[in-house]
Amino acid sequence: MIYAYTENSNGKYKKSALEVVSYAKTLADFLGDSVTAITINADDSPEVLYQFGASKVLNIKNEALKAFDPKVYASIISQLADGNYLIFSHSNESTSIAPYIVKEKGAAYITNVVSVPLSTSPFRVKRNVFSGKGIAIVETSDSGVVVTVSLNSVGAKENPVSGTEENPTVNIPSDPHYKVENTELSSGKIDLKEAEIVVSAGRGMKGPENWGIIEELAEVLGAATACSKPVADIGWRPHSEHVGQTGKAIAPKLYIATGISGAIQHLAGVNSSKTIVVINNDPEAPFFKSADYGIVGDLFEIIPKLIEKLKFFNN
Ligand SMILES: Cc1cc2nc3c(=O)[nH]c(=O)nc-3n(C[C@H](O)[C@H](O)[C@H](O)COP(=O)(O)OP(=O)(O)OC[C@H]3O[C@@H](n4cnc5c(N)ncnc54)[C@H](O)[C@@H]3O)c2cc1C
């Protein structure tokens, strides 16, 4: 049995959930096996997971699990996943759960995977290394393997099967030294890691009071907002928006970078974006070397014009 941990946000399956099920289904087809998805407090119909290849969905419904606690989630997933393969997304949530399971099961752990298996015996895959600057081919002959799949790397392919959903009961461990009582989203807007379009800004914005045009552009495009590290460090924007080597690594379809120079540490977190658009008034800004499209000019003139045009086309 191949297991996939499918994340949901407020009960709704994330896009990454479809990608991990799709990945697990490809592996299951290689091995002549089937896919069981494990999820916690999902409200969405399981149909969406059957559509991508899960023939069973184990949905643990329990109020005590509303607050995300990686140790507790790991214990629950461990109780249910008794197969040789367990597939996660390479997201913050999943990468904080997976290591506990790896330790408990003594499994091989392959993270940031960007390819379907090149072989299954031994299990061999490609993974991202050096912040996306290189690809390594790794293999393991261990019988237990835990994999995290890089977001948007293999994509989600529909592969419909008929399925069933169960609501198993599990033991919820308690730790007298540590308890997560509540968790809150840092912003109610679009999840940066999941977003297909990201509008990002840096020190070229001059100050936090100017961010209105970035938020407006993001709203018109249905995009998430991001920022460079110094901007988050000075407190102009929340740290949850910081992308790069020391921030979030993202891979949207479209990344629009405004007033960001394009330092190597910033690029490390965004260079897997499908299309990069750079707006900068310095024609020598290093970011232009990584851009698919570049606009040399003052962002305070360009962005309002862009918003005006996009609003015109949206109407
Ligand atoms: C160990 C380490 C880790 C790091 N990790 C990260 C990381 O994860 N993420 C990250 O982002 N950085 C990271 N950094 C910092 C990184 O090296 C850069 O210093 C940082 O990315 C620069 O931020 P910036 O582009 O916003 O600012 P700047 O380098 O100051 O660039 C501002 C840009 O705005 C342009 N500009 C100014 N005014 C306008 C205007 N009116 N219109 C258009 N363009 C304008 C300028 O031409 C310039 O290119 C790290 C550094 C180190 C040493």
Side-chain angles (χ1 to χ4, degrees):
M1 183 71 72
I2 317 294
Y3 288 87
Y5 174 65
T6 48
E7 293 179 24
N8 66 77
S9 173
N10 294 323
K12 201 169 163 30
Y13 287 116
K14 294 185 184 174
K15 203 175 75 182
S16 63
L18 311 183
E19 192 171 24
V20 290
V21 168
S22 184
Y23 191 95
K25 176 64 175 151
T26 306
L27 176 59
D29 286 345
F30 278 140
L31 298 167
D33 211 327
S34 60
V35 177
T36 294
I38 300 176
T39 194
I40 297 176
N41 286 324
D43 299 323
D44 252 359
S45 161
E47 283 293 335
V48 63
L49 301 186
Y50 307 155
Q51 206 54 30
F52 286 83
S55 48
K56 194 187 274 186
V57 176
L58 302 177
N59 183 5
I60 301 102
K61 292 278 208 181
N62 195 314
E63 280 298 310
L65 299 171
K66 286 277 182 205
F68 173 66
D69 181 332
K71 262 174 138 177
V72 172
Y73 275 38
S75 157
I76 286 161
I77 297 165
S78 264
Q79 291 169 45
L80 299 171
D82 55 5
N84 291 344
Y85 293 93
L86 176 55
I87 316 296
F88 286 95
S89 168
H90 192 73
S91 64
N92 290 345
E93 176 173 330
S94 286
T95 53
S96 52
I97 299 170
Y100 290 113
I101 299 178
V102 169
K103 181 169 174 280
E104 190 189 318
K105 293 192 182 283
Y109 189 32
I110 308 182
T111 59
N112 224 344
V113 168
V114 292
S115 75
V116 294
L118 307 172
S119 77
T120 51
S121 183
F123 183 78
R124 182 184 291 126
V125 280
K126 291 183 187 171
R127 65 179 295 264
N128 250 338
V129 290
F130 304 124
S131 303
K133 284 256 168 269
I135 299 275
I137 294 178
V138 293
E139 66 176 50
T140 176
S141 300
D142 283 13
S143 56
V145 184
V146 175
V147 168
T148 67
V149 179
S150 182
L151 284 160
N152 296 330
S153 60
V154 292
K157 285 176 222 79
E158 291 204 21
N159 200 338
V161 294
S162 58
T164 51
E165 185 181 80
E166 293 172 18
N167 303 116
T169 20
V170 288
N171 298 323
I172 300 178
S174 63
D175 182 339
H177 307 293
Y178 164 92
K179 185 169 187 289
V180 176
E181 293 192 331
N182 189 25
T183 53
E184 278 175 29
L185 276 181
S186 49
S187 92
K189 299 193 189 134
I190 299 167
D191 181 344
L192 180 53
K193 289 273 245 178
E194 292 268 310
E196 298 209 330
I197 307 177
V198 173
V199 178
S200 188
R203 247 186 329 212
M205 292 300 294
K206 320 284 187 228
E209 66 282 3
N210 296 326
W211 241 267
I213 50 171
I214 298 300
E215 283 170 348
E216 195 178 353
L217 179 59
E219 196 178 324
V220 177
L221 289 167
T225 48
C227 68
S228 64
K229 180 176 184 295
V231 158
D233 287 346
I234 326 163
W236 291 0
R237 297 300 288 178
H239 270 290
S240 55
E241 286 194 2
H242 158 199
V243 289
Q245 184 186 319
T246 47
K248 286 183 178 148
I250 55 171
K253 285 190 180 151
L254 175 61
Y255 183 71
I256 303 177
T258 62
I260 301 177
S261 54
I264 190 160
Q265 297 90 352
H266 183 86
L267 293 174
V270 303
N271 59 11
S272 297
S273 307
K274 297 270 179 301
T275 302
I276 297 179
V277 176
V278 170
I279 303 170
N280 199 304
N281 63 1
D282 174 6
E284 301 298 323
F287 221 146
F288 284 120
K289 291 201 180 87
S290 308
D292 297 287
Y293 301 94
I295 306 172
V296 179
D298 184 351
L299 69 90
F300 295 104
E301 284 176 24
I302 293 163
I303 293 179
K305 284 187 184 150
L306 202 53
I307 293 169
E308 197 185 306
K309 284 278 178 217
L310 287 165
K311 279 188 174 165
F312 176 78
F313 286 117
N314 280 353
N315 286 328

